[in-house]
Structures are given as C-alpha cells and as structure tokens.
Amino acid sequence: MKKIFVFILLYLSSSFPQQFKFAWLTDIHIGYPTASEDLNQSVNDINSIKDIDFTIVSGDITATGTLEELSLAKSILDKLNKPYYIIPGNHDTKWSESGCTDFIRLWGNDRFVFENQNFLFVGLHEGPRMRMSDGYFAPEDLRWFDSLFKTKSDSVKPMIFITHYPLDESIANWFEMTKRLKTLNTKFVLFGHGHANKIYNLEGIPGIMGRSNLRAKEENGGYNIVEIKNDSVFFYEKNNSKENFSRWHSISISEKLNFTETKFPDYSINNFYPNVKVKWQFNTGYTIGSSATINDENIFVGDASGKFYSLNIDDGSVQCTFKSNDAIYSSPAVSSDYVVFGSADSSIYCLNKNYGKLIWQFKTNAAVLGSPIIYNNIVYIGSSDKSFRAINLTTGNLIWQFSELNGFVECKPAFADNKIIFGAWDEHLYCLDANSGYLIWKWKGNREGKFYSPAACTPVISNGIVFIVSPDRQMTAIDIENGTELWRTGKYQVRETLGISENDDKIFIRTMNDTILALPSSKELQEPLWITDCKFGYDISSAQIIERDGAIFYPTKNGVIYSLNSSDGKILWIHKLTNGFINTISVINKKKIITTDFDGNVTYLIVE
C-alpha cells in the first residue's frame, strides 16, 4: 500500500502544472573579439528579467580553454543575480593548457545536477579531452550519470539533459547516452556547438540546438529563454539590444515519446580479417589520452584519474601502480630502470620501472601535458608553463630551461643532430640546442592564429630535413640547420598526422579524407610513391603513423586500425576496435601491437 501511495505521489507531482523560466547561454567563446562584451550584455539583460529563475550554460565558454579566458568568463557570469549551471565544450577541453583541470578548479565541477519544480536538470559534456577527435562521453562520466538514477523515484522524474554536441554521430559514442535517456523520463535535450537555433529529432527525443552568444554579423549578441508552462515548453530568442523576445519553437512534454531504433556503429569489417584478434584487454575505468610505452616485459600507461600502470605484456595483469595528483596525458619514456612522464598536477615524475617507486619528482608551474624523450641520460620535455626543459635522468636536477614559448606543449619532441625539435600552441616550431637549450631557430607558418599551430604532430627528421603537418592543411619541409623552409604544400589536405619509415626514406601522411600516402623524404617536393584509398571518410584524428617491419599502423578517429605495406601501400588488414579515439599505436612487431583509447582500454592485438 505504501509503495502504491508513493508512486501516486510521484505521478501526480510530475503531472501538476509547472511554470518557470530560465535563460540559456551557449558558445560564449571568451577570447574572440566581441565575446566579453557580448557576454556582459547578456548577463545584464538576464538580470533585468525578473522572472528568470536560473541560467544554463552549455559549453564552449572560451576560444582555447586558457586560464585567462576561463577566469574572465567566470568573472562575468558570476555577476548573474540568479544561480547558473555550466559545462565545458570542445573549445574548453581540446586546447586546454591545464589538461581540462582549470575548469574544475574554477567552477568546482565540469558537470551538474539539480532540481527545479520537480524537473531534474543534468548537464554533462563529451570533450573531447586534449585530443583532436569527435566528442566522447568518458567512462567516468557515464558512471556518474548512472549513479544519479539508482532508485525508481529518481528514474521517473521528468528530466532535461544538457550537453554541448548534438546527440548524434558527432559524438562517437552518442548511443551510450541515447540508450540511457530512452529508459528515463527524458523530456528534451539542450545543446550548442552549431551556433544556431535548430530543431533535432534524436531518435525520438526532442533536441534543441541554441544560438551562440556571439553577435556574429549582428549588432549585438543574444541567447535563449526557455519557458516551461503547464505541459508545454516554449523557446524564445532574446537579442541583447531589444526589449522583446520572439518565440521560435515549442514542444509538448505531456505526450509519450516514440523512440526510433539506434543505428549502432558497424563492426562488420572485422569479418574480412578474422586473423586479427584481441589477445587481452585491460580497462582502467578512465579516459586514456596517451600512448602506452613498451619496455621488455612491461607496458606503461597513465589515465585521466592520474593513475600510472605497469602491466604485464603477456596477460595484461597489473604489476604495480603509482598515483599522481591529476590527469595524465603524457606518454611515458623509459631508459634503463627509469620511467618518466608528466601529469596535469604540474609535476614530472620518474619512477623505478620495476617497482613503481618514486625516484624523483620535478615540480613545474603548470600542467605537464607534453611527452618526454630520453637521450644520453637526459629527459627532454615541454610543459604548460611555456617552458621546455632538460633534466638529468638519474638525479632529477634541471640542466637547462627554455622559457620563451607563448603557448603550451602537448607533443613528443624529436631529436637529431644534437637538436631538439617541437611545436607549441603559439604558432611556432622550435629548434633548440640539446646541450644548452639555446634557440637555434623557430619557424611559423603563413596562416595566423593559435589553432594553426604545428603543436600536435611529432616532427619527423630525415637527412637534415624536418617534416611537419599542421591544422592549416599544409605539409612543410624545413632545413634542420637554419630553419629555412625547403618546400610547403597544401595539395594533400593534411592535418596533424604523419610518420616516417624505419630507414628514414619515406614520409607517411594521412589526409583528411580517405587516403594515406607515402612521399620520398627529399629536399624537393616529389610525387607520392603510393596513395591508398582506405575509404575511412573524413578524419581529424591527431594519432601519428608508426612503421615497423615493413608495415605501417594508423587508427582513425572512430577506432578503425589500418595496417598497410609500407613499400606499396597495400592494405594488409583492417580492424575496428572501438568507435572512439585510439591514441598513437605502440608497435611490438608487424604482428603485435598495443593500443590505448578513450574507453580506458589497453588492448593487445595480434595477427595470426
């Protein structure tokens, strides 16, 4: 009897007429020319409307996720008279100098849940965290979402879900969220990203994209007001320069939703290559945004929880662990008995590779997202305090520090001819003397803007030539001695992915549409040695190409691994492992590879 009474109360409480309004801001993009002025105007405008109960902010708070941009956004948003609830977007996470930690430090969390008049509001972003890829709901975030609905009373509450991307294939694992929302009393989904008011049907769930707060070509910026009244929801666009607001959409929330079937990702390609198999798989439970490093019988990798693992190469069992104080996006380097990596907690760590015990810890002034290399007992690594360092591997003592960067470092540097080559998110590629840290030269492309920096690719070097690709769609060859540009081409529509053959005579490139090709490593731009149409479609992954034993390996943004013959480009095999991002592959030999991915998996793949 008591259970029936509770159910009736829940039903009646969700059926009683409701009436409230909230403001909805999205795609604020502090850092763009008019963004702070537009946001100030919107905040003042929202404060002038007395019956606004709260404000939702659905991502892309900044242009590039810097602490300066985030802090300015917070100082403006904090002027709101009523509460506001906020999540980040891809601009806040992909180019984050802090490894996505500054947002949490400023606002206390990067997700939210609250109730208003019996409606449950849940906000959750999908990154992507630090790597160029589609959006992806992190395993740790999905666990948090599930924890909200442990009881029947929680799951029957009318819910409004807020995210940044549309819940479609622009999120690689959109189906993980839509299948959850279909089991709950979901009324509609709010999101941004597209900068325009637009209506979506998300497999039967009403979806509404909101306009950007930016003015764009108008005189002033604007936002949306959402009114829930009785059994309907009304959407109004509000321009900051006008008193009135116009209704552009409405939905009923009393009608039962008719869900359509989810079209899940297709794994049928694996049927054509049955000889490619998973030997073992280990799941950390958290996003992995770095590659594994293989040394002897050990596999080393860190995850977004800050945990660093040593796994047994034979069966994936955990041999030892170490906990840093924040997320790890740095791929480790190993030399002798030492393993070195950076953490978003602003430290560079050196552990004993056999026991996981701390040997030394070097504290910097910001997150360390770059990956180290070790040469001649010296660790070379870049960080987010706009510095690049050389550190004694044995003692952890600083040898030299180069502090003339204007952006953070996320890549692994290259070493050749006693020179260190790396890019930073400040538009430049740098060449330093490995002994002194002295700047030999720096290079900049001809397209202005931080987004076009050669910062995510690992430079490759052959016969005194440095090869890079960058988001300006250009490939460039540079003289290592003086930084002179030897050639530059936009013919192949590249982005951030390239590789080099083991004998240094070929450069491998992935274009942004379907193809992988090989060029001679030459001072003059020559015709491709081969071009292979892999038919993977549009691809923006920042994973690099690795060659070993005459085969190259590359994973697409949607988890499809390609192995090609490096001599002629013939496809050796294809295997779809996930639908999300796979980091640069760690290769044991032609038939054995280790992968890490956004699902938190470390996977040993073999070719029989």
Side-chain angles (χ1 to χ4, degrees):
M1 186 68 182
K2 184 177 180 181
K3 288 183 179 180
I4 296 173
F5 179 69
V6 170
F7 178 80
I8 292 172
L9 279 177
L10 288 168
Y11 175 79
L12 290 174
S13 64
S14 64
S15 302
F16 281 160
Q18 314 283 339
Q19 184 166 349
F20 61 93
K21 289 180 185 174
F22 62 91
W24 173 24
L25 294 165
T26 193
D27 296 87
I28 296 167
H29 288 297
I30 293 295
Y32 286 173
T34 66
S36 58
E37 182 181 355
D38 292 341
L39 181 57
N40 267 304
Q41 289 178 353
S42 292
V43 166
N44 291 334
D45 203 64
I46 292 168
N47 285 340
S48 71
I49 304 172
K50 303 306 179 185
D51 59 349
I52 293 288
D53 290 304
F54 56 88
T55 298
I56 293 292
V57 191
S58 61
D60 274 4
I61 314 306
T62 66
T64 60
T66 65
L67 179 59
E68 181 182 6
E69 291 172 349
L70 289 167
S71 298
L72 177 55
K74 187 173 189 298
S75 69
I76 299 171
L77 288 167
D78 284 352
K79 296 175 185 176
L80 285 165
N81 293 334
K82 302 286 181 65
Y84 71 93
Y85 305 91
I86 188 169
I87 57 170
N90 60 299
H91 277 256
D92 311 310
T93 59
K94 164 59 192 83
W95 293 279
S96 169
E97 64 187 5
S98 70
C100 309
T101 60
D102 280 340
F103 191 99
I104 296 172
R105 277 191 279 268
L106 286 169
W107 277 285
N109 214 325
D110 58 358
R111 51 201 182 196
F112 65 76
V113 58
F114 69 96
E115 287 189 52
N116 189 77
Q117 293 196 30
N118 200 49
F119 280 83
L120 185 66
F121 289 78
V122 179
L124 186 61
H125 76 99
E126 55 281 297
R129 289 169 165 86
M130 297 311 303
R131 304 294 175 239
M132 180 54 68
S133 64
D134 292 340
Y136 205 78
F137 287 110
E140 57 267 35
D141 286 337
L142 291 174
R143 284 197 303 276
W144 172 82
F145 183 88
D146 292 341
S147 73
L148 303 177
F149 304 99
K150 290 183 176 179
T151 67
K152 181 68 175 178
S153 61
D154 293 326
S155 61
V156 299
K157 291 174 184 174
M159 184 185 67
I160 299 167
F161 183 64
I162 299 96
T163 190
H164 181 64
Y165 282 87
L167 281 182
D168 57 20
E169 292 185 23
S170 58
I171 304 172
N173 63 343
W174 83 95
F175 50 88
E176 291 288 356
M177 186 53 66
T178 53
K179 74 179 182 182
R180 286 167 165 82
L181 296 182
K182 289 176 182 178
T183 67
L184 302 168
N185 191 11
T186 307
K187 296 303 179 184
F188 56 91
V189 178
L190 301 179
F191 46 88
H193 193 61
H195 289 215
N197 290 332
K198 190 175 178 181
I199 302 164
Y200 281 69
N201 183 330
L202 306 171
E203 299 176 19
I205 304 170
I208 300 91
M209 175 183 283
R211 59 154 294 167
S212 168
N213 189 67
L214 296 170
R215 68 187 65 179
K217 296 179 181 179
E218 304 295 327
E219 291 185 7
N220 297 91
Y223 58 97
N224 278 289
I225 293 174
V226 183
E227 181 181 26
I228 295 181
K229 188 174 183 180
N230 298 327
D231 62 352
S232 297
V233 184
F234 303 96
F235 295 85
Y236 305 88
E237 182 172 357
K238 180 68 171 68
N239 186 290
N240 291 332
S241 63
K242 299 176 183 178
E243 276 194 34
N244 297 325
F245 39 90
S246 56
R247 192 173 91 186
W248 65 272
H249 184 49
S250 64
I251 58 174
S252 170
I253 53 175
S254 62
E255 298 174 2
K256 183 179 179 181
L257 300 180
N258 295 312
F259 300 127
T260 57
E261 187 176 346
T262 300
K263 186 180 179 182
F264 289 97
D266 183 8
Y267 285 75
S268 62
I269 187 66
N270 294 348
N271 297 330
F272 295 92
Y273 301 92
N275 58 323
V276 183
K277 296 180 179 179
V278 174
K279 180 179 179 180
W280 57 254
Q281 189 170 76
F282 173 79
N283 185 263
T284 69
Y286 291 85
T287 300
I288 300 179
S290 59
S291 297
T293 296
I294 304 164
N295 181 262
D296 297 331
E297 299 302 308
N298 309 308
I299 296 172
F300 300 101
V301 68
D303 67 20
S305 75
K307 199 168 186 179
F308 188 79
Y309 292 85
S310 171
L311 305 178
N312 183 285
I313 198 168
D314 291 326
D315 57 13
S317 59
V318 177
Q319 299 182 133
C320 57
T321 63
F322 176 87
K323 190 71 166 65
S324 73
N325 295 315
D326 223 320
I328 297 171
Y329 292 102
S330 171
S331 300
V334 182
S335 179
S336 185
D337 287 336
Y338 304 88
V339 56
V340 181
F341 61 93
S343 169
D345 68 7
S346 76
S347 287
I348 301 162
Y349 292 93
C350 178
L351 311 180
N352 180 291
K353 74 169 188 180
N354 299 309
Y355 308 109
K357 300 297 183 182
L358 180 66
I359 297 174
W360 54 259
Q361 177 180 354
F362 187 99
K363 190 74 173 173
T364 73
N365 298 309
V368 184
L369 309 174
S371 297
I373 58 172
I374 302 172
Y375 277 90
N376 302 323
N377 209 51
I378 300 173
V379 177
Y380 298 96
I381 187 170
S383 64
S384 294
D385 57 3
K386 301 178 182 177
S387 296
F388 193 95
R389 295 174 173 87
I391 300 170
N392 184 287
L393 174 63
T394 307
T395 66
N397 293 331
L398 181 68
I399 297 173
W400 55 255
Q401 178 172 319
F402 177 79
S403 298
E404 298 175 26
L405 309 178
N406 290 309
F408 75 95
V409 178
E410 74 163 82
C411 70
K412 177 186 290 188
F415 183 101
D417 300 339
N418 210 40
K419 297 176 179 66
I420 298 291
I421 315 289
F422 63 94
W425 284 107
D426 62 2
E427 305 177 69
H428 287 91
L429 185 76
Y430 293 85
C431 177
L432 306 182
D433 181 271
N435 293 327
S436 65
Y438 174 78
L439 177 65
I440 299 173
W441 53 260
K442 66 178 182 178
W443 173 92
K444 180 178 179 293
N446 54 10
R447 190 165 184 180
E448 298 288 334
K450 175 178 176 178
F451 292 122
Y452 305 113
S453 301
C457 81
T458 298
V460 296
I461 303 170
S462 174
N463 297 319
I465 311 167
V466 180
F467 298 92
I468 59 167
V469 293
S470 53
D472 61 3
R473 315 300 196 257
Q474 301 283 319
M475 180 178 182
T476 309
I478 301 167
D479 190 311
I480 196 171
E481 293 300 324
N482 53 29
T484 300
E485 191 175 294
L486 300 174
W487 55 261
R488 183 167 165 82
T489 179
K491 180 178 180 180
Y492 301 111
Q493 286 292 295
V494 296
R495 191 178 172 97
E496 292 166 327
T497 298
L498 83 166
I500 190 168
S501 60
E502 288 187 288
N503 63 7
D504 296 343
D505 68 342
K506 290 186 285 293
I507 307 298
F508 307 110
I509 310 152
R510 186 225 62 214
T511 72
M512 292 178 64
N513 288 282
D514 289 317
T515 58
I516 295 175
L517 59 93
L519 289 173
S521 53
S522 170
K523 289 186 176 181
E524 295 81 31
L525 177 61
Q526 299 183 26
E527 289 300 307
L529 299 167
W530 51 259
I531 301 176
T532 300
D533 183 1
C534 298
K535 295 182 170 56
F536 48 66
Y538 177 70
D539 193 20
I540 55 174
S541 169
S542 54
Q544 306 298 291
I545 297 171
I546 304 296
E547 195 224 26
R548 189 66 52 83
D549 302 334
I552 66 171
F553 302 89
Y554 169 70
T556 71
K557 69 181 177 68
N558 293 120
V560 181
I561 301 170
Y562 286 82
S563 178
L564 278 61
N565 186 303
S566 61
S567 298
D568 57 15
K570 179 183 177 182
I571 294 175
L572 300 175
W573 55 263
I574 305 170
H575 186 82
K576 185 171 177 63
L577 191 60
T578 174
N579 204 52
F581 181 80
I582 295 178
N583 298 287
T584 299
I585 292 171
S586 305
V587 182
I588 301 171
N589 58 45
K590 188 175 183 177
K591 295 189 175 183
K592 298 176 182 179
I593 63 173
I594 303 294
T595 68
T596 58
D597 59 44
F598 273 8
D599 288 315
N601 289 320
V602 182
T603 305
Y604 191 149
L605 272 182
I606 59 173
V607 182
E608 294 181 341

